[in-house]
Amino acid sequence: MKKLWLTAAAALTVLTTAAAQAGEADRPYAVALSGRIIDGSGAAPIPEGRVVAIDGVITCVGRADDCPAPPGAVFIDAGEGSIMPGLIDLHAHPRPHYYGWFLASGVTTVRSANTDLAMVRALQALPAPQTRLIWAGPMLDGDNSIIKRFYPEAGPGAPSPARPADGLSLEGVELLIAETPEQAIAAVDALAAEGADWVKLYEQLPPDAFAAAVQRARTLGLPTMADLGMASTRGLGGAEVDLLEAAALGIDSLEHASGAALAYQRLGGDLEKDALDPTLIDQLARALLTAKTALVPTLSVSHFTAEPESPEPVLSELPLGAARGTVRDGLDQQWRGIHQHFHSSPGSNAKAKLDARIGAAVMVRLAQLGGRIGAGSDTPAGAYNLPGGGLHLEMELMTRAGLSPLQALSAATGSAADILQRKDIGLIAVGRRADLLVVAGDPSQDIRATRRLRQIILDGRILDPAVMKNRALEDGETLLAALMAKQAD
């Protein structure tokens, strides 16, 4: 697979000239935006405000009279619309042929949740402008990992892509096996040496190896994220560490509210009852609060597997939701199979409903307690979970569950940047990068307004959403065609 993606990356030399049209030209010296400002902090909007950015960095935010535009600035008037930070997807699985979908949807930063080195290089080789990439390297799991079954066994001169770290190089490694604390420490050391931004821990990592990985990552200054398993995966059968245990160890980011069902069950809760016990939900949320562990619930990954709602009307309202072509065909084929599985099996559907219910309950209680919540889509996992567009649906699902629109917006902007430990993005504030969106309407009142993109600004470069959409689709088709041609050789 590594060679295939490297070949696909080589196809970039024949991509369309839309990259230049989409913003390859030098950014303007200064940009001044006027209108309603939603700064990403969760604070009330600033009416009739102004944002000034010089050389891609925000230099003034406030009332228009307090932020004069420098000579030569490009002016953008939001009118009745809103100015907000570029979106951050805290949990995604990007690939080159749909990576452009993120920026075209207003997602200016992505955290890739499980990424081998070949994929990192392929994503970073894509022509600018592109969504900012933050990446977790190959995830750590135990020797009995279900993921290991998808990789070939080692052969003469051909090590398996699923193997323990052997030294500081991770070339050819796609899953890090860590059955012991020593193997976990070696894996984290290799991730640090290769420049990974995050360490991801998976469902069947033994507790002592899990603890060793968290401690070693903390020593090296690397944050940790964990998928502990959900009811619809191995969360109630095969998973090792639950939410309470992971929080006690001090993980930085808990994905999918994973480990919540297992912890709830271990506390004596009955997961088959119609209503969850609020006392137990409170205990789970308080554990995250005490540990300062952020929750990234990824409600969108369970939505269409749990609910009878038809996907097409929902997708048609999302950025690139009506996209067609071989890229979308491949995603649809994957999603149809998953959707059919969960809706043809009452047992599987019940597990998806449980994942959605317990994830929303823990999220809402943690928000009430003042804990940290981030927005992530897990795209393209689940069913009909659009790259880029899935994050807009995630914010809507957060509000359906009980968060305010401002809380959901912060989860995908300011709070997301805080979770990433990035002080240069996520907020409309002096000193932050000029990653901005201009949208029609007021998403502080109607979260669906984030989908009505009028301008996308990345590092001070002004991008036309329609041009970015066309570029994403055309370049994606080129990249996927190159990959498929190589596979056919």
Side-chain angles (χ1 to χ4, degrees), residues 378-403:
D378 201 15
T379 183
Y384 302 101
N385 194 1
L386 280 171
L391 189 63
H392 294 267
L393 179 59
E394 179 72 13
M395 290 187 289
E396 180 184 351
L397 295 175
M398 286 177 155
T399 63
R400 288 194 205 178
L403 268 58

Side-chain angles (χ1 to χ4, degrees), residues 160-312:
S160 172
R163 62 181 187 268
D166 181 15
L168 297 181
S169 173
L170 292 178
E171 289 295 338
V173 177
E174 298 181 29
L175 175 67
L176 280 163
I177 300 300
E179 190 66 16
T180 66
E182 293 75 20
Q183 288 180 330
I185 290 170
V188 174
D189 285 347
L191 288 166
E194 295 286 14
D197 299 306
W198 281 74
V199 173
K200 182 178 180 181
L201 312 177
Y202 204 54
E203 300 169 338
Q204 293 169 288
L205 191 63
D208 56 350
F210 193 105
V214 173
Q215 180 57 52
R216 185 60 172 174
R218 185 180 299 118
T219 299
L220 296 177
L222 278 176
T224 50
M225 58 192 297
D227 177 352
L228 307 173
M230 300 180 287
S232 57
T233 59
R234 274 73 49 197
L236 296 174
E240 295 278 356
V241 177
D242 67 28
L243 179 152
L244 295 174
E245 294 168 330
L249 289 169
I251 61 163
D252 295 286
S253 177
L254 180 68
E255 313 304 297
H256 324 301
S258 58
L262 182 59
Y264 186 94
Q265 188 178 70
R266 287 175 172 176
L267 290 171
D270 185 351
L271 293 168
E272 295 187 1
K273 285 188 174 181
D274 291 337
L276 295 168
D277 186 334
T279 302
L280 297 184
I281 295 298
D282 178 76
Q283 188 171 343
L284 300 181
R286 286 184 184 276
L288 297 176
L289 180 72
T290 300
K292 299 181 180 179
T293 297
L295 176 65
V296 182
T298 65
L299 303 178
S300 50
V301 77
S302 299
H303 180 65
F304 288 117
T305 57
E307 300 301 324
E309 186 174 18
S310 174
E312 283 307 319

Side-chain angles (χ1 to χ4, degrees), residues 22 27-28 30-34 51-58 74-77 82-87 103-109 129-130 132 425 428 433-439 453-465 468:
R27 64 177 168 236
V31 181
L33 301 94
S34 298
V51 181
V52 176
I54 297 176
D55 286 338
V57 177
I58 296 171
V74 174
F75 282 87
I76 297 176
D77 185 356
S82 302
I83 306 158
M84 57 176 284
L87 298 172
L103 188 54
S105 302
V107 179
T108 53
T109 300
Q130 294 289 348
R132 185 178 291 102
I425 57 175
I428 300 181
R433 304 302 305 176
D435 291 355
L436 305 167
L437 306 178
V438 179
V439 300
L453 294 162
R454 287 169 42 185
Q455 276 95 22
I456 300 166
I457 301 176
L458 178 68
D459 269 337
R461 290 180 173 85
I462 303 168
L463 309 173
D464 182 332
M468 295 304 298

